[in-house]
């Protein structure tokens, strides 16, 4: 463990802190489905998707793709209405599959429908770095002049051996090129990393964290590896070590201590669909995970204890 920093110094930048600073309130994410697939599924570069990806393309909590984008937004708003106050704004989050993997004319239609909704403050698009052609970059740059656009890149790891095992389907150089291109368009970049990938050590994970934090990115998500039913990863469940909760918490504490304050921390855990989750089963109790993480951080007198309540 690195030298601890006291809470009052707050050398972190949580998503909640950022949103309150920029918008004066918490913004809730509305998970949307743009009706796309992925080049790693349709045969362009592979079949079956990444080894951990569910049949829902990691968008298992998204609204139904059979609805219009406006109807999806309204449906998603209804799901969180018990949490929100009058006047709340939202983040329109295109989550399922690869959300720039379609003709630019179609993307413009659905993204405009989302971004022009009066209750939407931010458009967030989850995609792959190898699905950002010049025409799509130009579209995102135009949209970013209407309202802020975030692009979430699923890197998962910098290690090529791990990337090959999980069937990511592109080299690290493609990710770096995408970061450069998005920066030229002045679009905020959020990088996804998976904690607990098969055969990766804590140091492997920290190398990924350090690498991405040295690039011009604006946000990071640390996502616990979930082994879900009907995924190819489930076939390897007895072949690699699955993190216990205390291990995961230790790894997260170390990761966060390597993230500079200017990078917004969007996530430090995650919960898979309970009807699909095989392991780790402890992750299904998100409240317990966060409470234990908070208690551990507080006992160690680290500044991250407050972060748990803000992400």
């Amino acid at each position: 463990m690195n030298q601890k920093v006291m809470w009052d110094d707050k050398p972190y930048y949580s998503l909640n802190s950022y949103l309150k600073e920029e918008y004066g309130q918490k913004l809730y994410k509305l998970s949307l489905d743009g009706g796309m697939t992925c080049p790693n599924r349709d045969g362009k570069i592979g079949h079956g998707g990444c080894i951990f990806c569910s049949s829902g393309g990691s968008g298992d909590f998204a609204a139904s793709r059979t609805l219009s984008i406006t109807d999806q937004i309204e449906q998603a708003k209804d799901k969180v209405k018990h949490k929100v106050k009058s006047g709340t704004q939202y983040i329109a989050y295109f989550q399922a599959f690869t959300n720039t993997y379609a003709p630019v004319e179609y993307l413009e239609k659905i993204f405009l429908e989302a971004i022009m909704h009066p209750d939407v403050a931010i458009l967030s698009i989850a995609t792959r770095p190898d699905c950002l052609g010049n025409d799509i970059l130009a579209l995102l740059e135009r949209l970013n002049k209407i309202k802020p656009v975030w692009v979430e890149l699923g890197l998962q790891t910098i290690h090529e051996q791990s990337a090959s095992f999980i069937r990511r389907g592109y080299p690290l150089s493609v990710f770096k090129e995408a970061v450069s291109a998005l920066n030229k368009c002045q679009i905020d970049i959020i990088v996804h990393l998976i904690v607990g990938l098969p055969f990766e050590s804590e140091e492997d994970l920290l190398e990924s964290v350090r690498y991405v934090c040295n690039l011009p990115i604006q946000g990071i998500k640390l996502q616990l590896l979930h082994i879900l039913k009907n995924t190819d990863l489930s076939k390897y469940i007895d072949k690699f070590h699955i993190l216990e909760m205390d291990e995961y918490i230790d790894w997260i504490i170390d990761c966060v201590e390597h993230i500079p304050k200017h990078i917004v921390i969007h996530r430090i855990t995650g919960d898979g669909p309970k009807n699909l989750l095989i392991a780790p089963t402890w992750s299904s109790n998100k409240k317990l995970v966060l409470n234990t993480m908070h208690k551990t951080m507080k006992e160690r007198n680290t500044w991250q204890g407050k972060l748990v309540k803000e992400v």
Side-chain angles (χ1 to χ4, degrees):
M1 299 291 291
N2 294 338
Q3 182 179 0
K4 301 300 181 292
V5 185
M6 300 303 291
W7 285 18
D8 291 342
D9 292 329
K10 299 179 187 175
Y12 63 82
Y13 204 11
S14 73
L15 177 59
N16 204 33
S17 296
Y18 170 78
L19 293 174
K20 287 182 178 179
E21 182 179 299
E22 293 293 320
Y23 297 91
Q25 60 178 298
K26 179 174 182 176
L27 304 186
Y28 287 86
K29 276 193 172 183
L30 307 177
S31 293
L32 310 175
D33 189 330
M36 282 162 265
T37 182
C38 173
N40 208 4
R41 286 177 175 267
D42 68 3
K44 183 175 182 180
I45 64 172
H47 295 277
C50 292
I51 197 171
F52 53 78
C53 197
S54 71
S55 60
S58 297
D60 300 288
F61 298 110
S64 172
R65 62 171 52 190
T66 62
L67 301 174
S68 70
I69 298 303
T70 299
D71 286 344
Q72 287 188 46
I73 288 172
E74 294 304 322
Q75 183 184 80
K77 282 171 55 182
D78 191 60
K79 288 181 180 179
V80 298
K81 65 182 181 181
H82 63 287
K83 300 179 182 179
V84 303
K85 299 178 181 179
S86 176
T88 295
Q89 293 183 296
Y90 301 88
I91 300 169
Y93 181 28
F94 284 86
Q95 181 178 17
F97 298 98
T98 301
N99 290 284
T100 56
Y101 190 53
V104 70
E105 296 80 12
Y106 174 74
L107 296 177
E108 183 170 20
K109 176 181 179 295
I110 62 171
F111 292 161
L112 270 174
E113 186 175 350
I115 207 168
M116 297 306 295
H117 191 289
D119 295 336
V120 168
I122 298 168
L123 174 64
S124 186
I125 301 165
T127 191
R128 295 169 56 91
D130 56 352
C131 293
L132 289 168
N134 290 334
D135 55 345
I136 293 171
L137 289 167
L139 169 63
L140 298 178
E141 188 172 21
R142 293 197 302 272
L143 294 171
N144 196 41
K145 293 175 181 177
I146 300 173
K147 291 176 185 175
V149 173
W150 296 350
V151 171
E152 306 196 10
L153 297 177
L155 175 63
Q156 321 311 357
T157 178
I158 67 166
H159 301 288
E160 296 296 350
Q161 186 172 358
S162 295
S164 176
F165 180 79
I166 65 175
R167 300 199 305 252
R168 191 179 65 191
Y170 64 84
L172 186 60
S173 59
V174 169
F175 166 77
K176 193 171 181 180
E177 289 166 5
V179 169
S180 176
L182 289 166
N183 265 279
K184 289 178 182 177
C185 297
Q186 298 184 320
I187 293 171
D188 280 7
I189 302 160
I190 301 157
V191 179
H192 292 220
L193 294 177
I194 293 182
V195 181
L197 281 174
F199 317 116
E200 281 205 353
S201 66
E202 181 183 6
E203 183 53 36
D204 291 330
L205 172 63
L206 291 175
E207 286 177 4
S208 291
V209 171
R210 288 191 290 261
Y211 178 89
V212 300
C213 287
N214 281 321
L215 295 176
I217 68 167
Q218 288 70 45
I220 190 169
K221 281 186 173 181
L222 300 172
Q223 171 67 52
L224 171 66
L225 177 72
H226 292 122
I227 304 173
L228 304 178
K229 295 177 183 177
N230 304 317
T231 61
D232 288 342
L233 180 60
S234 65
K235 302 172 185 177
Y236 295 90
I237 192 167
D238 297 323
K239 305 295 184 182
F240 67 96
H241 176 66
I242 298 169
L243 294 179
E244 298 293 341
M245 185 168 66
D246 59 342
E247 292 177 291
Y248 181 74
I249 290 171
D250 285 341
W251 287 28
I252 287 294
I253 291 173
D254 285 344
C255 284
V256 173
E257 287 181 333
H258 284 80
I259 299 172
K261 183 175 180 177
H262 69 275
I263 294 177
V264 180
I265 301 173
H266 286 244
R267 178 181 292 168
I268 53 175
T269 187
D271 48 343
K274 292 184 179 180
N275 63 321
L276 297 178
L277 184 66
I278 299 174
T281 54
W282 54 261
S283 68
S284 63
N285 190 339
K286 189 173 182 179
K287 184 176 181 180
L288 173 64
V289 175
L290 291 175
N291 285 343
T292 305
M293 191 178 293
H294 179 239
K295 181 175 181 290
T296 303
M297 290 171 172
K298 190 172 182 180
E299 286 172 350
R300 296 179 185 180
N301 202 27
T302 60
W303 49 266
Q304 301 103 316
K306 190 168 183 283
L307 174 66
V308 174
K309 294 186 175 182
E310 293 196 349
V311 172

